[in-house]
Amino acid sequence: MLIKKAYSGRIKGMNEINSASSKEWLLFCRRFFHNPSCIGSVMPSSRFLARKMVRSVAWEQCGLIVELGAGTGSCTEYLLANKPQRTKVLVFEKDPVFRAQLAEKFTAVPLYDDAAQLAEILAAQGIRRVDCIMSGLPFAMFSDAERQAILAQIQRVLPRGGQFITFQYSPQMYRELCLKFSEVRIGFTFFNLPPAIIYSCRR
Ligand SMILES: C[S@@+](CC[C@H](N)C(=O)[O-])C[C@H]1O[C@@H](n2cnc3c(N)ncnc32)[C@H](O)[C@@H]1O
């Protein structure tokens, strides 16, 4: 009884930063222990981080936005709530359990699996370029080859001036992003577990 109370108190405390439900939080934790290098975090992003990511989008130039690594949809929810009506959203999520949950939550959003196949999957839909890519992918947990392959896919579909927005928990990606993009802006939020760096880049 006491343990249950302490446990639910802790989850309640987490929820002040993180708007995800306790059920979602537990699911995230379970999927992390199932495949840590793919999931990359024990809990979904906070609403503060999601808001900062979505605020970085240059909506006036954005007809099509692709989200990579949507997880349980913390950022997707903000994206859909804040995008102009004309902007189309496509979502990629590799974990099948998360994908099933996203399909249930966001019935009208086209869902795909592996971001490593980004350019091919989009080409099969007749899409050659996207205006903005918003990513929750845990690049720091990927092998060098995997990170390079996904960054190359992103470069293939982003035209010059296209936006790439990502969050990371360490500054490890900074140099690489500066080499690959013509502009890299940095933001932070401490209101996330762990605190996150937000990179807003232009190709
Ligand atoms: C750190 S979580 C972020 C989840 C969510 N965006 C959030 O902010 O709460 C990283 C997500 O990327 C997904 N992921 C990892 N590799 C992927 C890939 N190659 N293609 C698509 N999704 C991938 C994981 O399954 C996980 O849901």
Side-chain angles (χ1 to χ4, degrees):
M1 178 76 172
L2 253 179
I3 292 174
K4 199 171 166 197
K5 219 171 168 185
Y7 177 69
S8 79
R10 183 160 299 172
I11 288 192
K12 236 189 228 161
M14 298 279 201
N15 280 353
E16 273 159 31
I17 287 190
N18 199 308
S19 60
S21 68
S22 313
K23 213 170 128 199
E24 231 168 73
W25 190 84
L26 286 173
L27 171 67
F28 217 95
C29 223
R30 271 211 310 275
R31 297 312 289 164
F32 173 79
F33 288 111
H34 176 76
N35 192 353
S37 64
C38 174
I39 307 299
S41 161
V42 287
M43 63 195 307
S45 294
S46 70
R47 58 178 180 274
F48 300 98
L49 175 53
R51 204 179 293 149
K52 270 209 163 170
M53 293 280 287
V54 170
R55 276 192 189 151
S56 308
V57 180
W59 291 113
E60 64 288 353
Q61 297 146 19
C62 190
L64 175 61
I65 183 164
V66 173
E67 185 186 4
L68 305 179
T72 49
S74 311
C75 294
T76 323
E77 213 169 300
Y78 268 87
L79 195 56
L80 295 173
N82 289 284
K83 75 172 189 70
Q85 209 176 0
R86 67 177 183 89
T87 304
K88 239 186 111 178
V89 178
L90 308 179
V91 168
F92 281 69
E93 172 50 55
K94 194 174 178 181
D95 183 273
V97 177
F98 285 167
R99 216 169 40 249
Q101 172 148 338
L102 290 167
E104 220 173 86
K105 238 172 156 178
F106 308 111
T107 47
V109 176
L111 258 178
Y112 306 97
D113 52 4
D114 195 351
Q117 311 289 322
L118 177 68
E120 286 76 17
I121 293 174
L122 293 182
Q125 306 301 314
I127 299 167
R128 305 256 162 229
R129 42 182 282 171
V130 305
D131 303 304
C132 179
I133 294 181
M134 198 172 93
S135 167
L137 295 176
F139 284 107
M141 308 285 272
F142 292 165
S143 68
D144 244 17
E146 201 178 353
R147 190 171 65 251
Q148 291 304 330
I150 296 183
L151 286 172
Q153 290 278 316
I154 290 169
Q155 302 265 358
R156 271 177 68 185
V157 300
L158 268 189
R160 206 148 278 291
Q163 257 194 312
F164 175 58
I165 303 164
T166 183
F167 69 82
Q168 297 290 293
Y169 306 123
S170 77
Q172 193 185 322
M173 284 282 285
Y174 179 68
R175 269 173 60 93
E176 199 162 7
L177 291 174
C178 288
L179 290 172
K180 292 201 155 47
F181 292 91
S182 63
E183 181 186 303
V184 179
R185 291 185 183 199
I186 297 184
F188 293 97
T189 181
F190 294 103
F191 300 110
N192 190 70
L193 295 172
I197 303 171
I198 297 131
Y199 295 107
S200 176
C201 314
R202 289 257 183 206
R203 174 130 150 69

